[in-house]
Structures are given as C-alpha cells and as structure tokens.
Amino acid sequence: PLFLNQLQKDLEEVKELLTNATRKRVRDVLLAEKHKLELEIKNQPPPKPKDVAEEEKSSLGGYTVKINNYGWDQSDKFVKIYISLNGVQKLPAENVQVNFTERSFDLLVKNLNGKNYTMTFNNLLKPISVEGSSRKIKTDMILVMCKKKREEKWDCLTQVEKESKEKEKAAYDTADPSEGLMNILKKMYAEGDDEMKRTINKAWVESREKQYKGDIPMDI
C-alpha cells in the first residue's frame, strides 16, 4: 500500500505538469510517463481484505512461546508425544500444524489465546515414517504420533539425549567401584534438597567414624 500511494502521488504530479506543459517534446515525455505510471498502478496486487490481513497478523505475528514440557510413551509401532495446551481443542484444526521428516518434527499452534506455540524435535533417535505419522487434538492436549520405521524399542527420544545418557553412564562406570559411588553421591548431593544433603552428610560422617575405628578397612 505504501508503494501504491507513492505511485499515485507521482501520477497526480505528472498530470499537473501536463496541464502546464506547452512544448510538444515535454508533453510527449510526460504522457509516456503518465502511461507508464497508470500501467504500474494497474498491475499492483490488490490490498488484502482487512479481516484476512488481521487474522494473518494475529496468527503469525504476536507473541510466540516455545513449548518445553511434554511427556512421551511408545508402543511397538509408534512413539507418542503428549503436549498439554489448555483450550487447544477449541481451535480450528488447521491452526495445529505438525511437519514431519524422517528424523524430526516441528509443531506450530497458531493463535491460541492470542499466542502462538512452537516445539521442534531434531535428530530423533531412529527414523520415522512421514506418511504414517500424524497428530491428534484432544481436550487440553495434542498427541503427536511418530510412526516407527522399524518396530523396536527406543531408549530415549533424540540422539542428543542418548549421547548425554552415555556420557553420564561413562562417568559412573569407572574402573574403581568406590569412585563410581562417589560420583553418584556427589550428583545426588548437588541436585538434592536440604534434607537430602543432611542425609548424605550424616552417612558420610558415620562411614568416616567407622573407618577410623577400623570397622571398614577400605577407603570409600
């Protein structure tokens, strides 16, 4: 619309100049420009109806929220991801879009209570069938059904999760069993609440006391 306004203003000015132009050469140049501008204005795309433009603006613009919370489950044939979204069942079905590829999917929920919601899963643990995958809208929930290419158990959802689990496991599977135990205790201590910290401290003190008394010959 802004560009169209500029063209119309140019055309008005050319018409005004034409009324004052007396030299044939000048008039010919202005007439050619007038014709060119009229053609350009005619070829401009028509403005969108207001309601369509507003609807697009509200559904694609505005505030977009990234979904981080989900639950998942699996059967022999499907990996199922459960995403809670209040009131999602009230939306038109086309407002809930899921795009699948062999190793990923992304979800877009448009204009739910004035916000858009997105979720992306890249590097799925194993390949899925794009044609066999789908989504279902339930009360306050979206269920994404990823059809497994091969009927086998998935240990986790993504390659990244698998790698982080393997790193964690490697940290505990050390040659020295007591070192592995120490790593677990340190992790529990770091992630625990005050009660957990007190319990670990108490156990630690007691084990040291027993060791000094000679009840436990080995160092934990």
Side-chain angles (χ1 to χ4, degrees):
L2 188 66
F3 184 57
L4 190 62
N5 284 346
Q6 296 298 327
L7 289 175
Q8 281 163 342
K9 281 180 183 171
D10 288 351
L11 181 62
E12 281 163 27
E13 195 162 309
V14 166
K15 283 178 180 173
E16 204 176 309
L17 289 169
L18 264 168
T19 57
N20 298 322
T22 52
R23 307 287 299 165
K24 183 178 182 304
R25 194 168 172 186
V26 174
R27 282 185 67 81
D28 286 349
V29 169
L30 288 170
L31 280 166
E33 189 59 30
K34 175 175 173 275
H35 180 66
K36 190 175 148 194
L37 282 165
E38 283 169 344
L39 212 67
E40 222 172 314
I41 289 167
K42 191 181 168 190
N43 290 332
Q44 282 296 304
K48 285 184 179 178
K50 192 171 184 239
D51 55 342
V52 173
E54 284 302 309
E55 191 186 332
E56 273 193 19
K57 190 179 170 188
S58 63
S59 65
L60 294 173
Y63 190 53
T64 298
V65 182
K66 210 168 181 184
I67 305 167
N68 291 316
N69 294 332
Y70 64 91
W72 75 285
D73 189 10
Q74 62 183 311
S75 63
D76 289 342
K77 293 182 179 177
F78 287 94
V79 169
K80 305 166 192 176
I81 295 97
Y82 300 89
I83 298 134
S84 296
L85 274 178
N86 285 340
V88 71
Q89 72 279 6
K90 295 172 189 166
L91 287 177
E94 63 269 17
N95 280 33
V96 180
Q97 300 167 0
V98 183
N99 292 317
F100 295 96
T101 75
E102 196 178 62
R103 291 297 281 270
S104 75
F105 73 83
D106 60 85
L107 164 74
L108 171 63
V109 179
K110 293 196 285 188
N111 205 10
L112 175 60
N113 304 324
K115 293 176 190 169
N116 307 312
Y117 293 84
T118 64
M119 177 183 238
T120 302
F121 271 93
N122 290 319
N123 301 318
L124 289 170
L125 187 67
K126 296 173 192 290
I128 60 170
S129 157
V130 175
E131 303 76 36
S133 299
S134 61
R135 59 106 178 97
K136 292 179 181 174
I137 301 167
K138 297 176 176 289
T139 306
D140 299 334
M141 181 185 284
I142 299 165
L143 170 57
V144 178
M145 306 272 290
C146 296
K147 174 85 187 292
K148 294 176 178 178
K149 272 257 171 101
R150 289 185 13 223
E151 293 185 19
E152 56 188 328
K153 188 175 179 291
W154 288 27
D155 295 325
C156 47
L157 266 182
T158 63
Q159 199 65 37
V160 176
E161 276 179 71
K162 185 189 177 195
E163 283 163 15
S164 96
K165 274 187 180 180
E166 281 171 357
K167 274 183 196 161
E168 219 168 273
K169 190 170 179 289
Y172 298 150
D173 291 354
T174 54
D176 181 351
S178 64
E179 197 182 320
L181 178 64
M182 278 302 301
N183 283 336
I184 293 168
L185 283 172
K186 280 177 191 166
K187 185 174 165 64
M188 284 168 69
Y189 190 86
E191 293 175 1
D193 54 16
D194 290 345
E195 188 62 39
M196 174 67 81
K197 286 183 168 72
R198 275 197 293 274
T199 307
I200 292 171
N201 275 332
K202 186 167 177 274
W204 177 254
V205 169
E206 284 174 5
S207 78
R208 300 304 287 182
E209 281 173 357
K210 280 183 183 176
Q211 191 183 325
Y212 289 134
K213 286 176 187 169
D215 294 348
I216 301 174
M218 63 176 265
D219 184 17
I220 293 183

